[in-house]
Structures are given as structure tokens and as C-alpha cells.
């Protein structure tokens, strides 16, 4: 199973367009590499590719990844569909870029599908898509020999959704397994808390691509578990030394964006990684 980190920044990207913090200024000056908004591509056979979230930067990300270029026909694409972890704008806005691609399938938990009802009506006018419950019992199989299960990890809806009853299905993590090899990874760019269920989930995978939005508790908010501090994910990950640990979805003020920072040294010393846009690995 081949995995490509198409984008690794949180909403707004890096540098963020309306931010003049020291990190964003350094990126504009060419001292730090820019990053597009979080999105992952995965395939089990090099022909059928699936997107994990649909970043507003998806056009740039697809253009930068030759395996995802169109062909052989003028409108053929290896992209088969999208798996949405939540309904946040920076995870779903890229669907509008993909409009007109016939036959795509979009998986998402029921509350997310409901929140996207107006957008779904618009997109289906360009080309009918199939919309499916990502939390279907028993999971689902993707073209290319991948089997997926979704796991609730947060109950916070996006700000644009009117107040509703609490629902723990608003945010999910996806476990993706290659049926041919048994290799598996978890994609969880947004985690509200480290639970026993999530800890057990990591016991069944080889790699985890995790929420690295905020470095510590002083920054944390909006349903994201910080990397460090009391209850932070870095400490929890120490009990999974055999799992490859990769942080993504980095906020523009996160010191992990700077390879020379003490924050990056701390994370690297604990055995976790911060990779760049375009990084690829095999599970």
C-alpha cells in the first residue's frame, strides 16, 4: 500500500494568508518551506487512488503528484473517491474542485453527509456521485484491495453547522488495510482526546498519521489533542514503539514547522516524524 502526504498543514495552510507571525514570516522569506492543507492519497495497486479528505489545495496537490495525473483518456482519472474525516471547510472544500468527475464515491459519517446536503446537491448536478456512510458496520472495501473501517474520535461539529444534539460521529479516524499484505495505517488528523479505544486501534496498525495541529496545551483548542503536555499524544504514543508515528495537520503557529526548533528535536527524540508535503511511504 502506497501512501502520499499531499498536504500537511492545518486550515489556512502555511504561511497562512492573513498571519504575520514569526513562522509565517519566515516561510514568506524562504527560510521555511511552505505547506498546503492536509490531505492524503492512498492506493493498493498503483491504479486506483483514494483521497483522505479533500483539501482546498487539491488541484495543486494533484498536479504535483504524477501518479494522480489524468489519463489515458482526456477525462480519465486514477482518483476513485474521497474519505472524509469530518465536515470542516478545509477538509471538504476540495470536493468542488473535483466536480464533474463521473463516478466518484465519497465516504463520510452520517452527520457529515447531512451537513453537506446543500453542497451534495450542487456537485451532483455536474456529475452524479455516490455518497456512502463511512461508519457502516463492518467497514467497506475500496477498489485496489483496501479495506477500511472508521472510528469516532470527536463530537465537535464545524462552526457553520446550527446547534444540534451531541453526536460522537462528527469526527472519525480511518484505519486502512492492504488485503494483499496485511499492512495497515490509521489516518487521524483531528483527535479530541486519547481514549482506550483509540489506543487499542493503534495496536492493529503499522503506521499512524496523526493530529499534530497544536504543539502544547497553551495553543490547543477546537477539538484537537496537543502533541505535548498533560495527556498529549506524544506521551501516549510511547506505548506503541513498533508503530511508525507521523504528525500532520500542523497549525501555522506550531513550532514543529521549524526543523531547527527544540519542539522538533523533542518529537524526533521520541521517535515521531514530521514530514513534508509530497512525502511517500509504503505500508
Amino acid at each position: 500500500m502506497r501512501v502520499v502526504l499531499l498536504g500537511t498543514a492545518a486550515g489556512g495552510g502555511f504561511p497562512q494568508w492573513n498571519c504575520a507571525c514569526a513562522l509565517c514570516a519566515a516561510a514568506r522569506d524562504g527560510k521555511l518551506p511552505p505547506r498546503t492543507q492536509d490531505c492524503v492519497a492512498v492506493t493498493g495497486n498503483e491504479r486506483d487512488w483514494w483521497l483522505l479528505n479533500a483539501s482546498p489545495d487539491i488541484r495543486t496537490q494533484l498536479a504535483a503528484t504524477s501518479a494522480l495525473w489524468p489519463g489515458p483518456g482526456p477525462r480519465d482519472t486514477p482518483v476513485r473517491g474521497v474519505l472524509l474525516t469530518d465536515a470542516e471547510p478545509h477538509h471538504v472544500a476540495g470536493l468542488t474542485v473535483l466536480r464533474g468527475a463521473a463516478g466518484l464515491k465519497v465516504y463520510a459519517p452520517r452527520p457529515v453527509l447531512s451537513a453537506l446536503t446543500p453542497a451534495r446537491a450542487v456537485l451532483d448536478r455536474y456529475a452524479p456521485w455516490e455518497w456512502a456512510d463511512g461508519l457502516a458496520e463492518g467497514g467497506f472495501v475500496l477498489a485496489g484491495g483496501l479495506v477500511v473501517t472508521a472510528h469516532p474520535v470527536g463530537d465537535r461539529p464545524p462552526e457553520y453547522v446550527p446547534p444540534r444534539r451531541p453526536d460522537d460521529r462528527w469526527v472519525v479516524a480511518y484505519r486502512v488495510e492492504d488485503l494483499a499484505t496485511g499492512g495497515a495505517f490509521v489516518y487521524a488528523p483531528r483527535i479530541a482526546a486519547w481514549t482506550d479505544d483509540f489506543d487499542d486501534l493503534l495496536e492493529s496498525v503499522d503506521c499512524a498519521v496523526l493530529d499534530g495541529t497544536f504543539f502544547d496545551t497553551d495553543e490547543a483548542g477546537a477539538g484537537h489533542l496537543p502533541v505535548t503536555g498533560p495527556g498529549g499524544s506524544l506521551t501516549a504514543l510511547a506505548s506503541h514503539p513498533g508503530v511508525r508515528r507521523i504528525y500532520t495537520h500542523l497549525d501555522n503557529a506550531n513550532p514543529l514547522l521549524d526543523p531547527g526548533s527544540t519542539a522538533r528535536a523533542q518529537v524526533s527524540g521520541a521517535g515521531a516524524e514530521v514530514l513534508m508535503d509530497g512525502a511517500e511511504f509504503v505500508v
Side-chain angles (χ1 to χ4, degrees):
M1 176 167 52
R2 180 179 170 193
V3 182
V4 182
L5 304 183
L6 299 177
T8 54
F14 179 69
Q16 186 168 298
W17 73 274
N18 62 343
C19 182
C21 72
L23 288 169
C24 286
R28 291 190 182 94
D29 289 341
K31 298 175 183 177
L32 292 176
R35 295 172 182 260
T36 58
Q37 294 166 90
D38 183 79
C39 186
V40 170
V42 59
T43 182
N45 62 2
E46 301 289 343
R47 296 186 306 275
D48 302 293
W49 285 85
W50 296 85
L51 303 178
L52 305 180
N53 287 331
S55 155
D57 302 315
I58 191 64
R59 177 189 173 277
T60 299
Q61 294 166 342
L62 295 175
T65 310
S66 60
L68 299 173
W69 290 354
R75 290 288 183 175
D76 292 339
T77 174
V79 176
R80 305 294 180 236
V82 184
L83 284 61
L84 299 175
T85 60
D86 53 57
E88 290 296 332
H90 62 289
H91 289 161
V92 304
L95 294 175
T96 63
V97 179
L98 302 176
R99 69 188 185 279
L104 295 191
K105 188 165 187 176
V106 181
Y107 292 89
R110 285 290 177 187
V112 173
L113 292 175
S114 178
L116 295 179
T117 296
R120 290 167 56 188
V122 172
L123 292 166
D124 284 342
R125 292 293 297 272
Y126 288 90
W129 289 356
E130 185 176 353
W131 303 83
D133 182 3
L135 276 167
E137 186 175 355
F140 49 93
V141 177
L142 302 176
L146 303 178
V147 62
V148 180
T149 54
H151 304 266
V153 291
D155 60 2
R156 185 185 178 100
E159 295 295 333
Y160 65 82
V161 173
R164 300 184 182 185
R165 290 182 301 174
D167 194 324
D168 66 1
R169 300 172 299 167
W170 272 110
V171 185
V172 299
Y174 287 108
R175 180 187 184 275
V176 185
E177 180 178 345
D178 187 329
L179 288 172
T181 67
F185 81 102
V186 164
Y187 174 64
R190 186 179 175 198
I191 310 172
W194 196 279
T195 65
D196 290 342
D197 286 344
F198 190 76
D199 202 61
D200 290 343
L201 181 62
L202 291 193
E203 292 288 346
S204 70
V205 299
D206 305 287
C207 177
V209 181
L210 296 174
D211 186 349
T213 309
F214 301 113
F215 182 68
D216 57 33
T217 53
D218 291 338
E219 304 168 342
H224 291 280
L225 179 70
V227 173
T228 60
S233 61
L234 192 63
T235 299
L237 285 169
S239 62
H240 301 280
V243 176
R244 184 176 184 182
R245 294 151 281 173
I246 300 169
Y247 280 113
T248 189
H249 203 272
L250 306 176
D251 182 73
N252 64 285
N254 191 327
L256 290 178
L257 292 164
D258 183 354
S261 66
T262 56
R264 182 73 78 88
Q266 180 181 349
V267 165
S268 298
E273 301 172 78
V274 178
L275 304 180
M276 280 303 306
D277 288 13
E280 298 188 19
F281 55 91
V282 175
V283 180

